[in-house]
Amino acid sequence: MRSTPPANWELLEAEAERLLPQMVFEYYAGGAGDEVTLRDNRAAFARVKLRPRMLCGVEEPALATTALGQHLAMPVAVAPMAYQRLAHPDGELATASACGALGVPMTLSTMATASVEEVASVATGPLWFQLYVWRDRGATRALVERAAAAGASALVITVDAPRLGTRRRDVENGFALPAGVRLGNLEGLLGADAAPPSIDDGSQLAAHFAVLNDLQLTWRDLEWFRSLSPLPIVLKGVLTAEDARLAAEHGVDAIVVSNHGGRQLDGVPATLDVLPEVAEAAGGRLEVWMDGGVRSGTDVVRALALGARLVLLGRPVLWGLAAGGEQGVASVLDRLRVEIEEALLLCGCPSVHDVTRAHVVRGRAGTSG
Ligand SMILES: Cc1cc2nc3c(=O)[nH]c(=O)nc-3n(C[C@H](O)[C@H](O)[C@H](O)COP(=O)(O)O)c2cc1C
C-alpha cells in the first residue's frame, strides 16, 4: 500500500478496482437486479441534511458506546462479508486484527475464507458470528456451537437471503472461487456440500446457496436458535416496522436495518429511509443498528440521528483490505473515527449519545424530522 492512503473512499475504491481482478471487484462492488437499491442507499444520505448547533463548547467529543452491553470505541462495527481472501492473502485475519486495534467489533461471515477458530485466535476485540441457516440443521447447530466455543459474543442471523439475489455482474463474470480458497467454517460440517459446486456458467456462490440454504425458516425458529447457545441474537436484514415489532415480541436482542448492501431484493428502499419507521416500532425494546452506504463520519451521525445505535461498515473495509491488508483496514476505520469526531464537534454534540432527531432534516432545510 502507498504510505499515504487515498483521501476518500471513492479514491480507495478506484485503487481497489485497479488492484483486483475484475471478477472479484465486481462481486464486491455489485448489487442485485438493476442496482437501484444499491445506488439509493448512497443517495439517501445526501437527502438528509445536518442541523448543527452552535456555541456548545464541545472540545473532545466522546465516541465510545456499547452494543449488546459490549464496549465499542465508536458506534461502528464491520459488517459480515464473505470471501475476504479474494481481496488480500490475509483475508479475514487481517480484518480481525485491524478491528481489534481500533476497538471495533468484527462480524465474521459464515462464508469466510478462514474458520471462526482461526479468526478468534487473532481477534483482540469483540467477534460476532454471522449465520446463514442451512437445511442441514445438525450442521447449523454445530456451527453455532463452534462459534460460541471460539469466543464469538453475538450471533447475527441473516434473514434477507433465503436465496441469493440475482447479481448480474456475477452471472456475467461466471463468479467462482479460485482453486485453493477454503471456506473454513463449512469444512468438516457439510460433507461434500462444504465445497462450492462446479458449474459451467452463472454465479458459483448463488449455486452453492441454492444447495445449502434453508428456505423454510420462520419466526418460530427463533426459539430453536436461542436453545443453541447463550449468545445474544441479532437479526440482520429487517426493513419494516412489522418485522421490528415481531423481532421485539420474539425476544431478539438487536436488529440490523439492512438490504444486504443492495445485493438481495432490488427495489427495496434505502436503509436510511426506513430507519426511522423501524426505530419507532422497536420503541427501545431492542437495539436498532443499520448498514448500507455508510461512507463517512457525517453518514454515521445521520444514522444515529435517525435512530441507529450503531452502523455496520461494508465495502470500504474490503477496499482497505485490497489496498493494504491489515494496515489498509485499520486506516479506513481510523479515518472514519476522525471523521465521526469532527462531525460531532461541528454539530455541537459532546458524545455520540447526544445526537438526536433534531440534528437532521430531510429535503428542505428548516424543519426537523
Ligand atoms: C462482498 C460482500 C459480501 C457480503 N457477504 C455477506 C455475508 O456473507 N453475510 C451477510 O449477512 N451479509 C453479507 N454482505 C452484506 C453486508 O454485511 C452489508 O449488509 C452491506 O455490505 C452493507 O452495505 P455497504 O457495503 O454499502 O456498507 C456482503 C456484502 C458484500 C459487499
Side-chain angles (χ1 to χ4, degrees):
M1 170 137 151
R2 314 176 322 182
S3 50
T4 319
N8 64 49
W9 72 270
E10 280 154 318
L11 292 174
L12 185 61
E13 177 174 335
E15 177 145 328
E17 183 169 12
R18 192 175 58 74
L19 292 167
L20 294 172
Q22 182 189 339
M23 178 194 80
V24 173
F25 176 77
E26 297 214 84
Y27 164 66
Y28 287 164
D34 294 326
E35 300 189 339
V36 173
T37 296
L38 174 69
R39 285 189 295 277
D40 204 35
N41 274 351
R42 280 296 303 141
F45 282 94
R47 293 194 288 264
V48 174
K49 318 289 179 195
L50 295 168
R51 297 181 73 243
R53 298 300 309 278
M54 305 303 152
L55 300 174
C56 297
V58 178
E59 206 177 343
E60 267 185 56
L63 271 62
T65 188
T66 59
L68 305 170
Q70 301 171 32
H71 178 81
L72 278 54
M74 55 179 165
V76 175
V78 167
M81 286 174 290
Y83 298 168
Q84 296 190 11
R85 277 207 165 112
L86 302 187
H88 188 277
D90 298 338
E92 289 83 0
L93 301 179
T95 305
S97 301
C99 285
L102 272 292
V104 165
M106 171 180 179
T107 319
L108 182 71
S109 169
T110 290
M111 305 302 273
T113 47
S115 69
V116 64
E117 291 85 0
E118 289 168 309
V119 176
S121 74
V122 300
T124 52
L127 179 65
W128 298 340
F129 187 75
Q130 178 269 326
L131 184 72
Y132 282 128
V133 182
W134 307 135
R135 284 170 220 237
D136 182 339
R137 289 298 184 93
T140 306
R141 169 191 290 275
L143 189 52
V144 173
E145 287 170 356
R146 267 175 61 183
S153 52
L155 188 63
V156 179
I157 305 171
T158 300
V159 293
D160 60 9
R163 143 197 310 191
L164 225 57
T166 299
R167 302 163 190 173
R168 293 186 192 147
R169 303 200 217 189
D170 293 351
V171 175
E172 275 158 31
N173 292 329
F175 176 77
L177 283 186
V181 174
R182 306 164 32 233
L183 299 179
N185 294 323
L186 273 51
E187 285 173 353
L189 288 181
L190 286 160
D193 289 340
S198 304
I199 53 164
D200 293 333
D201 55 20
S203 160
Q204 188 192 49
L205 175 59
H208 204 187
F209 248 67
V211 174
L212 297 175
N213 239 22
D214 187 346
L215 281 90
Q216 294 179 353
L217 205 60
T218 71
W219 291 100
R220 282 193 297 278
D221 290 298
L222 279 164
E223 213 171 305
W224 181 71
F225 289 119
R226 258 196 305 275
S227 76
L228 300 183
S229 83
L231 299 182
I233 290 183
V234 182
L235 296 187
K236 175 172 178 282
V238 170
L239 287 172
T240 58
E242 293 90 316
D243 283 343
R245 279 192 283 271
L246 279 169
E249 285 159 20
H250 284 81
V252 166
D253 298 281
I255 50 178
V256 189
V257 178
S258 173
N259 52 37
H260 217 107
R263 296 161 75 84
Q264 281 300 109
L265 180 61
D266 193 33
V268 299
T271 46
L272 195 70
D273 285 340
V274 293
L275 177 59
E277 152 187 341
V278 173
E280 196 185 324
R285 289 177 290 170
L286 39 64
E287 293 184 9
V288 177
W289 309 349
M290 72 84 71
D291 73 17
V294 175
R295 298 293 178 264
S296 68
T298 50
D299 289 348
V300 175
V301 169
R302 287 173 172 103
L304 298 181
L306 290 173
R309 184 171 185 87
L310 90 145
V311 304
L312 305 187
L313 185 66
R315 294 177 180 86
V317 172
L318 299 173
W319 309 146
L321 185 63
E326 175 183 341
Q327 199 201 325
V329 176
S331 71
V332 165
L333 294 175
D334 196 50
R335 182 164 56 222
L336 193 59
R337 182 188 63 75
V338 170
E339 289 179 2
I340 297 170
E341 195 199 32
E342 178 177 306
L344 290 174
L345 191 145
L346 294 178
C347 281
C349 296
S351 84
V352 290
H353 303 294
D354 296 304
V355 178
T356 67
R357 189 70 179 257
H359 286 102
V360 289
V361 58
R362 278 178 192 281
R364 257 182 337 113
T367 47
S368 63

